[in-house]
Short mmCIF file of all heavy atoms in Angstrom, two decimals:
data_model
loop_
_atom_site.label_atom_id
_atom_site.label_comp_id
_atom_site.label_asym_id
_atom_site.label_seq_id
_atom_site.Cartn_x
_atom_site.Cartn_y
_atom_site.Cartn_z
N ALA A 1 40.73 41.73 -109.12
CA ALA A 1 39.68 42.64 -109.57
C ALA A 1 40.29 43.90 -110.18
O ALA A 1 41.19 44.51 -109.60
CB ALA A 1 38.78 43.02 -108.41
N VAL A 2 39.80 44.25 -111.37
CA VAL A 2 40.18 45.50 -112.04
C VAL A 2 38.85 46.19 -112.37
O VAL A 2 38.22 45.88 -113.38
CB VAL A 2 41.00 45.25 -113.31
CG1 VAL A 2 41.44 46.56 -113.94
CG2 VAL A 2 42.21 44.38 -113.00
N ALA A 3 38.42 47.09 -111.50
CA ALA A 3 37.06 47.62 -111.61
C ALA A 3 37.04 49.14 -111.54
O ALA A 3 37.93 49.75 -110.94
CB ALA A 3 36.18 47.04 -110.51
N GLY A 4 36.02 49.74 -112.14
CA GLY A 4 35.83 51.19 -112.05
C GLY A 4 37.08 51.95 -112.44
O GLY A 4 37.62 51.79 -113.54
N ALA A 5 37.57 52.80 -111.52
CA ALA A 5 38.76 53.60 -111.80
C ALA A 5 39.99 52.74 -112.04
O ALA A 5 40.92 53.16 -112.73
CB ALA A 5 39.01 54.56 -110.64
N GLY A 6 40.01 51.52 -111.49
CA GLY A 6 41.11 50.60 -111.77
C GLY A 6 41.13 50.20 -113.23
O GLY A 6 42.20 50.12 -113.86
N LEU A 7 39.95 49.94 -113.79
CA LEU A 7 39.85 49.62 -115.22
C LEU A 7 40.23 50.82 -116.07
O LEU A 7 40.97 50.70 -117.05
CB LEU A 7 38.42 49.16 -115.54
CG LEU A 7 38.10 48.86 -117.00
CD1 LEU A 7 38.99 47.76 -117.55
CD2 LEU A 7 36.63 48.48 -117.16
N SER A 8 39.73 52.00 -115.69
CA SER A 8 40.07 53.21 -116.43
C SER A 8 41.58 53.45 -116.42
O SER A 8 42.18 53.75 -117.46
CB SER A 8 39.35 54.42 -115.83
OG SER A 8 37.96 54.33 -116.01
N LEU A 9 42.22 53.30 -115.25
CA LEU A 9 43.66 53.49 -115.15
C LEU A 9 44.40 52.53 -116.05
O LEU A 9 45.36 52.92 -116.74
CB LEU A 9 44.10 53.30 -113.69
CG LEU A 9 45.61 53.29 -113.42
CD1 LEU A 9 46.26 54.60 -113.88
CD2 LEU A 9 45.88 53.05 -111.94
N SER A 10 43.97 51.27 -116.09
CA SER A 10 44.67 50.29 -116.93
C SER A 10 44.59 50.67 -118.41
O SER A 10 45.50 50.37 -119.17
CB SER A 10 44.08 48.90 -116.71
OG SER A 10 42.79 48.77 -117.27
N SER A 11 43.52 51.35 -118.80
CA SER A 11 43.37 51.76 -120.20
C SER A 11 44.14 53.03 -120.52
O SER A 11 44.42 53.31 -121.68
CB SER A 11 41.89 51.95 -120.55
OG SER A 11 41.37 53.16 -120.01
N MET A 12 44.47 53.81 -119.50
CA MET A 12 45.15 55.09 -119.72
C MET A 12 46.66 54.96 -119.79
O MET A 12 47.34 55.86 -120.27
CB MET A 12 44.78 56.07 -118.60
CG MET A 12 43.43 56.73 -118.79
SD MET A 12 43.43 57.87 -120.19
CE MET A 12 44.38 59.24 -119.51
N CYS A 13 47.20 53.86 -119.29
CA CYS A 13 48.64 53.66 -119.34
C CYS A 13 49.04 53.14 -120.73
O CYS A 13 48.20 52.76 -121.52
CB CYS A 13 49.07 52.70 -118.23
SG CYS A 13 48.78 53.41 -116.58
N ASP A 14 50.33 53.14 -120.99
CA ASP A 14 50.79 52.81 -122.34
C ASP A 14 50.54 51.35 -122.70
O ASP A 14 50.15 51.04 -123.83
CB ASP A 14 52.29 53.13 -122.46
CG ASP A 14 52.58 54.59 -122.19
OD1 ASP A 14 51.85 55.44 -122.72
OD2 ASP A 14 53.53 54.88 -121.43
N LEU A 15 50.78 50.45 -121.76
CA LEU A 15 50.61 49.02 -121.99
C LEU A 15 50.07 48.38 -120.73
O LEU A 15 50.23 48.92 -119.63
CB LEU A 15 51.95 48.37 -122.36
CG LEU A 15 52.61 48.83 -123.67
CD1 LEU A 15 54.06 48.35 -123.73
CD2 LEU A 15 51.84 48.31 -124.87
N CYS A 16 49.45 47.22 -120.88
CA CYS A 16 48.89 46.50 -119.73
C CYS A 16 49.18 45.02 -119.89
O CYS A 16 48.96 44.44 -120.96
CB CYS A 16 47.38 46.75 -119.65
SG CYS A 16 46.56 45.86 -118.29
N VAL A 17 49.68 44.40 -118.81
CA VAL A 17 49.81 42.94 -118.76
C VAL A 17 48.95 42.45 -117.62
O VAL A 17 48.65 43.20 -116.68
CB VAL A 17 51.28 42.50 -118.58
CG1 VAL A 17 52.12 42.96 -119.76
CG2 VAL A 17 51.87 43.04 -117.29
N ALA A 18 48.52 41.19 -117.70
CA ALA A 18 47.54 40.72 -116.72
C ALA A 18 47.74 39.26 -116.37
O ALA A 18 48.22 38.46 -117.19
CB ALA A 18 46.13 40.92 -117.27
N ALA A 19 47.34 38.90 -115.15
CA ALA A 19 47.24 37.50 -114.77
C ALA A 19 46.04 36.90 -115.49
O ALA A 19 45.02 37.57 -115.71
CB ALA A 19 47.06 37.38 -113.25
N THR A 20 46.14 35.64 -115.86
CA THR A 20 45.07 35.00 -116.62
C THR A 20 43.78 34.89 -115.83
O THR A 20 42.71 34.69 -116.41
CB THR A 20 45.52 33.60 -117.08
OG1 THR A 20 46.00 32.87 -115.94
CG2 THR A 20 46.62 33.68 -118.12
N THR A 21 43.85 35.03 -114.51
CA THR A 21 42.66 34.93 -113.66
C THR A 21 41.99 36.28 -113.41
O THR A 21 41.00 36.36 -112.68
CB THR A 21 43.05 34.32 -112.30
OG1 THR A 21 44.17 35.05 -111.77
CG2 THR A 21 43.44 32.86 -112.44
N THR A 22 42.51 37.34 -114.02
CA THR A 22 41.98 38.69 -113.78
C THR A 22 40.54 38.83 -114.27
O THR A 22 40.18 38.29 -115.32
CB THR A 22 42.86 39.74 -114.50
OG1 THR A 22 44.22 39.54 -114.10
CG2 THR A 22 42.44 41.15 -114.15
N ARG A 23 39.75 39.60 -113.52
CA ARG A 23 38.39 39.94 -113.93
C ARG A 23 38.28 41.45 -114.03
O ARG A 23 38.68 42.18 -113.12
CB ARG A 23 37.36 39.42 -112.92
CG ARG A 23 37.24 37.92 -112.84
CD ARG A 23 36.59 37.33 -114.06
NE ARG A 23 35.17 37.66 -114.13
CZ ARG A 23 34.37 37.30 -115.15
NH1 ARG A 23 34.86 36.64 -116.18
NH2 ARG A 23 33.10 37.63 -115.14
N PHE A 24 37.71 41.92 -115.14
CA PHE A 24 37.55 43.35 -115.41
C PHE A 24 36.07 43.70 -115.30
O PHE A 24 35.22 42.97 -115.80
CB PHE A 24 38.06 43.68 -116.81
CG PHE A 24 39.51 43.36 -117.03
CD1 PHE A 24 39.93 42.07 -117.36
CD2 PHE A 24 40.49 44.35 -116.93
CE1 PHE A 24 41.26 41.77 -117.57
CE2 PHE A 24 41.83 44.07 -117.14
CZ PHE A 24 42.21 42.78 -117.46
N HIS A 25 35.79 44.85 -114.67
CA HIS A 25 34.38 45.25 -114.52
C HIS A 25 34.28 46.77 -114.58
O HIS A 25 34.92 47.47 -113.78
CB HIS A 25 33.82 44.76 -113.19
CG HIS A 25 32.32 44.69 -113.16
ND1 HIS A 25 31.53 45.76 -113.51
CD2 HIS A 25 31.47 43.70 -112.82
CE1 HIS A 25 30.27 45.43 -113.41
NE2 HIS A 25 30.19 44.18 -112.99
N PRO A 26 33.45 47.33 -115.49
CA PRO A 26 33.29 48.78 -115.56
C PRO A 26 32.81 49.38 -114.24
O PRO A 26 33.37 50.37 -113.76
CB PRO A 26 32.28 48.99 -116.68
CG PRO A 26 32.43 47.78 -117.54
CD PRO A 26 32.76 46.65 -116.60
N ALA A 27 31.76 48.82 -113.65
CA ALA A 27 31.29 49.16 -112.29
C ALA A 27 30.92 50.61 -112.06
O ALA A 27 30.89 51.06 -110.92
CB ALA A 27 32.35 48.74 -111.25
N TYR A 28 30.63 51.36 -113.10
CA TYR A 28 30.20 52.76 -112.92
C TYR A 28 28.68 52.87 -112.94
O TYR A 28 28.07 53.32 -111.97
CB TYR A 28 30.79 53.63 -114.03
CG TYR A 28 32.26 53.94 -113.89
CD1 TYR A 28 33.19 53.35 -114.74
CD2 TYR A 28 32.74 54.82 -112.93
CE1 TYR A 28 34.55 53.64 -114.64
CE2 TYR A 28 34.08 55.12 -112.81
CZ TYR A 28 34.99 54.53 -113.68
OH TYR A 28 36.32 54.82 -113.56
N ALA A 29 28.07 52.49 -114.06
CA ALA A 29 26.61 52.62 -114.18
C ALA A 29 25.89 51.84 -113.09
O ALA A 29 24.82 52.23 -112.64
CB ALA A 29 26.16 52.15 -115.57
N GLN A 30 26.50 50.75 -112.64
CA GLN A 30 25.90 49.91 -111.61
C GLN A 30 25.63 50.69 -110.33
O GLN A 30 24.65 50.44 -109.64
CB GLN A 30 26.84 48.73 -111.33
CG GLN A 30 26.36 47.78 -110.25
CD GLN A 30 27.35 46.65 -110.02
OE1 GLN A 30 28.14 46.32 -110.88
NE2 GLN A 30 27.32 46.08 -108.84
N ILE A 31 26.52 51.65 -110.01
CA ILE A 31 26.29 52.45 -108.79
C ILE A 31 25.74 53.84 -109.12
O ILE A 31 25.63 54.69 -108.25
CB ILE A 31 27.57 52.56 -107.94
CG1 ILE A 31 28.68 53.29 -108.71
CG2 ILE A 31 28.03 51.20 -107.47
CD1 ILE A 31 29.87 53.67 -107.83
N GLY A 32 25.43 54.07 -110.40
CA GLY A 32 24.75 55.31 -110.77
C GLY A 32 25.65 56.48 -111.08
O GLY A 32 25.26 57.63 -110.86
N VAL A 33 26.88 56.22 -111.59
CA VAL A 33 27.79 57.32 -111.93
C VAL A 33 28.38 57.11 -113.33
O VAL A 33 28.38 56.00 -113.86
CB VAL A 33 28.94 57.45 -110.90
CG1 VAL A 33 28.39 57.79 -109.53
CG2 VAL A 33 29.80 56.20 -110.86
#
């Protein structure tokens, strides 16, 4: 799981590599933030 601040962090670093089974989720609006 790469969600919320985890997703934001992955976008803020210079490069990102991932396992093919990774799932990304914004998860902010869902909880009202």
Side-chain angles (χ1 to χ4, degrees):
V2 183
L7 176 59
S8 293
L9 173 59
S10 72
S11 75
M12 280 292 286
C13 295
D14 301 314
L15 296 167
C16 178
V17 298
T20 52
T21 51
T22 307
R23 293 289 290 177
F24 300 83
H25 200 308
Y28 285 108
Q30 179 181 337
I31 63 168
V33 298

